[in-house]
Amino acid sequence: MNWDDDTAQAADAADRLVGASADGEDQAVEAALRPKSLAEFVGQERVREQLDLVLKAALARGATADHVLLSGAPGLGKTTLSMIIAAEMGAPIRITSGPAIQHAGDLAAILSSLQEGEVLFLDEIHRMSRPAEEMLYMAMEDFRVDVVVGKGPGATAIPLELPPFTLVGATTRAGLLPPPLRDRFGFTAHMEFYGPAELERVIHRSAQLLDVPIDTAGAAEIAGRSRGTPRIANRLLRRVRDYAQVKADGMITQEIAGTALKVYEVDDRGLDRLDRAVLSALLKLFGGGPVGLSTLAVAVGEERETVEEVAEPFLVREGLLARTPRGRVATPAAWAHLGLVPPQAAPGGQQGLFGP
Ligand SMILES: Nc1ncnc2c1ncn2[C@@H]1O[C@H](COP(=O)(O)OP(=O)(O)OP(=O)(O)O)[C@@H](O)[C@H]1O
């Protein structure tokens, strides 16, 4: 795969109501919607319980909390949780990201200006440069860095003591972290996609903060289309609010939510126009597959990478599409979702792979 994260996230966020990356509007309102304490943070019960213990124990010892690694898809609450960690520890927080640290010197400047106990949130930690990563090993373990001054044979390393701090690293790809880095985190949490009931709670909470009236069925309707992701739930809520205000009396009911999301082309399972175009081509043009990725991409008029990185992950997660060595294949659930009837079982065809 030669698809850069930045490009993938740009494509994801640019024109998709159901993209998981933050767009400009999200960034503006997210600060207001972020839970401020572990008690307010919805779902992720196990992570919350474990983190609560880690933080309380550190507070009781009067020590700085262990370094924390958060992994999981975009929009599940990693940034939010890092801010909560700082708030629960009564510590300030500094926020930066792997791509912003291209030289070891960039990292040294940040580390040497940290206060004792400060939380350093390093988003996309897997995208830091190698020399910075190596500097981080020593900083995490010994609270010390060697700053290299000069070049070539005359270069000298000046040791610099650091105050104890808590590193909170976030990554969408824990597997890409080198083991020496992963091993230096005292606590690692994997964030899962949220269930419908949890998303309903996120939606009710956000609606209250935004002063938007919504009933239980309205929240459930939005939750079901939010792809397990609080950021998407909050974004859909804002779009449905617009519709409710312009076309109705402002109250979000199931009917209003359903009609509004139809206007925005988000179906009852959270698929958008691109997702459905991919499925539809797979079913109608290729009989459910198997078909190669490039062919499928040409059929929907998109780049291969857009289909692979933007549409497919959710379709696979939903059990609507499978990536097989022979190509992309639709599952029986895909036929059902688009209201189509699969062709008769053909040797080597979709029926052969998934049964009748
Ligand atoms: N557990 C939660 N309870 C309530 N709201 C949440 C929760 N998790 C996330 N949110 C909301 O979803 C939005 C996105 O969360 P956040 O920015 O923390 O995600 P992220 O995982 O850091 O995403 P990215 O990887 O793109 O930076 C925030 O506005 C936040 O309010």
Side-chain angles (χ1 to χ4, degrees), residues 54-65 89 116-117 164:
V54 170
L55 301 182
K56 282 198 172 123
L59 278 173
R61 289 193 301 269
T64 301
M89 294 302 291
E116 179 160 353

mmCIF file of all heavy atoms in Angstrom, residues 54-65 89 116-117 164:
data_model
loop_
_atom_site.group_PDB
_atom_site.id
_atom_site.type_symbol
_atom_site.label_atom_id
_atom_site.label_comp_id
_atom_site.label_asym_id
_atom_site.label_seq_id
_atom_site.Cartn_x
_atom_site.Cartn_y
_atom_site.Cartn_z
ATOM 1 N N VAL A 54 -4.933 3.242 37.337
ATOM 2 C CA VAL A 54 -3.572 3.747 37.081
ATOM 3 C C VAL A 54 -3.427 5.170 37.629
ATOM 4 O O VAL A 54 -2.449 5.494 38.317
ATOM 5 C CB VAL A 54 -3.271 3.722 35.561
ATOM 6 C CG1 VAL A 54 -1.977 4.457 35.238
ATOM 7 C CG2 VAL A 54 -3.207 2.290 35.040
ATOM 8 N N LEU A 55 -4.412 6.007 37.364
ATOM 9 C CA LEU A 55 -4.312 7.417 37.759
ATOM 10 C C LEU A 55 -4.463 7.587 39.266
ATOM 11 O O LEU A 55 -3.714 8.330 39.902
ATOM 12 C CB LEU A 55 -5.368 8.257 37.015
ATOM 13 C CG LEU A 55 -5.286 8.229 35.486
ATOM 14 C CD1 LEU A 55 -6.343 9.129 34.865
ATOM 15 C CD2 LEU A 55 -3.899 8.640 34.984
ATOM 16 N N LYS A 56 -5.437 6.850 39.847
ATOM 17 C CA LYS A 56 -5.652 6.982 41.297
ATOM 18 C C LYS A 56 -4.427 6.501 42.066
ATOM 19 O O LYS A 56 -4.029 7.103 43.066
ATOM 20 C CB LYS A 56 -6.893 6.202 41.723
ATOM 21 C CG LYS A 56 -8.176 6.952 41.369
ATOM 22 C CD LYS A 56 -9.366 6.434 42.157
ATOM 23 C CE LYS A 56 -10.577 7.331 41.913
ATOM 24 N NZ LYS A 56 -11.715 6.588 41.382
ATOM 25 N N ALA A 57 -3.826 5.403 41.589
ATOM 26 C CA ALA A 57 -2.643 4.868 42.277
ATOM 27 C C ALA A 57 -1.502 5.880 42.202
ATOM 28 O O ALA A 57 -0.800 6.123 43.189
ATOM 29 C CB ALA A 57 -2.229 3.538 41.644
ATOM 30 N N ALA A 58 -1.321 6.509 41.046
ATOM 31 C CA ALA A 58 -0.245 7.498 40.900
ATOM 32 C C ALA A 58 -0.504 8.690 41.815
ATOM 33 O O ALA A 58 0.402 9.175 42.501
ATOM 34 C CB ALA A 58 -0.143 7.951 39.450
ATOM 35 N N LEU A 59 -1.770 9.115 41.854
ATOM 36 C CA LEU A 59 -2.111 10.253 42.727
ATOM 37 C C LEU A 59 -1.826 9.909 44.190
ATOM 38 O O LEU A 59 -1.265 10.714 44.939
ATOM 39 C CB LEU A 59 -3.594 10.619 42.561
ATOM 40 C CG LEU A 59 -3.944 11.500 41.364
ATOM 41 C CD1 LEU A 59 -5.462 11.632 41.231
ATOM 42 C CD2 LEU A 59 -3.315 12.893 41.487
ATOM 43 N N ALA A 60 -2.208 8.670 44.587
ATOM 44 C CA ALA A 60 -2.006 8.260 45.979
ATOM 45 C C ALA A 60 -0.518 8.223 46.328
ATOM 46 O O ALA A 60 -0.127 8.515 47.452
ATOM 47 C CB ALA A 60 -2.648 6.884 46.211
ATOM 48 N N ARG A 61 0.310 7.843 45.358
ATOM 49 C CA ARG A 61 1.760 7.786 45.608
ATOM 50 C C ARG A 61 2.405 9.163 45.474
ATOM 51 O O ARG A 61 3.593 9.301 45.716
ATOM 52 C CB ARG A 61 2.431 6.853 44.584
ATOM 53 C CG ARG A 61 2.132 5.378 44.772
ATOM 54 C CD ARG A 61 3.095 4.534 43.932
ATOM 55 N NE ARG A 61 3.010 4.834 42.512
ATOM 56 C CZ ARG A 61 2.210 4.208 41.658
ATOM 57 N NH1 ARG A 61 1.423 3.236 42.093
ATOM 58 N NH2 ARG A 61 2.194 4.532 40.388
ATOM 59 N N GLY A 62 1.624 10.108 45.008
ATOM 60 C CA GLY A 62 2.180 11.448 44.761
ATOM 61 C C GLY A 62 3.161 11.418 43.609
ATOM 62 O O GLY A 62 4.076 12.234 43.529
ATOM 63 N N ALA A 63 2.943 10.467 42.693
ATOM 64 C CA ALA A 63 3.888 10.306 41.573
ATOM 65 C C ALA A 63 3.238 10.729 40.264
ATOM 66 O O ALA A 63 2.022 10.905 40.180
ATOM 67 C CB ALA A 63 4.310 8.841 41.483
ATOM 68 N N THR A 64 4.058 10.863 39.256
ATOM 69 C CA THR A 64 3.566 11.128 37.906
ATOM 70 C C THR A 64 3.024 9.814 37.338
ATOM 71 O O THR A 64 3.605 8.759 37.576
ATOM 72 C CB THR A 64 4.742 11.631 37.047
ATOM 73 O OG1 THR A 64 5.251 12.806 37.664
ATOM 74 C CG2 THR A 64 4.302 11.965 35.642
ATOM 75 N N ALA A 65 1.910 9.881 36.610
ATOM 76 C CA ALA A 65 1.324 8.644 36.058
ATOM 77 C C ALA A 65 2.243 8.019 35.016
ATOM 78 O O ALA A 65 3.007 8.725 34.347
ATOM 79 C CB ALA A 65 -0.032 8.959 35.438
ATOM 80 N N MET A 89 -5.259 14.176 36.752
ATOM 81 C CA MET A 89 -3.996 14.285 37.494
ATOM 82 C C MET A 89 -3.750 15.721 37.963
ATOM 83 O O MET A 89 -2.743 15.993 38.628
ATOM 84 C CB MET A 89 -2.810 13.847 36.604
ATOM 85 C CG MET A 89 -2.802 12.383 36.208
ATOM 86 S SD MET A 89 -2.805 11.253 37.624
ATOM 87 C CE MET A 89 -1.165 11.527 38.313
ATOM 88 N N GLU A 116 7.114 19.721 35.636
ATOM 89 C CA GLU A 116 7.019 18.445 36.359
ATOM 90 C C GLU A 116 5.565 17.953 36.353
ATOM 91 O O GLU A 116 4.651 18.719 36.647
ATOM 92 C CB GLU A 116 7.513 18.621 37.796
ATOM 93 C CG GLU A 116 7.396 17.324 38.556
ATOM 94 C CD GLU A 116 8.267 17.256 39.800
ATOM 95 O OE1 GLU A 116 9.072 18.174 40.010
ATOM 96 O OE2 GLU A 116 8.110 16.271 40.532
ATOM 97 N N GLY A 117 5.376 16.690 35.994
ATOM 98 C CA GLY A 117 4.034 16.086 36.001
ATOM 99 C C GLY A 117 3.216 16.384 34.755
ATOM 100 O O GLY A 117 2.109 15.865 34.594
ATOM 101 N N PRO A 164 9.994 14.614 35.586
ATOM 102 C CA PRO A 164 9.112 13.480 35.275
ATOM 103 C C PRO A 164 7.854 13.989 34.558
ATOM 104 O O PRO A 164 7.299 15.019 34.949
ATOM 105 C CB PRO A 164 8.735 12.916 36.654
ATOM 106 C CG PRO A 164 9.662 13.541 37.632
ATOM 107 C CD PRO A 164 10.209 14.792 37.023
#
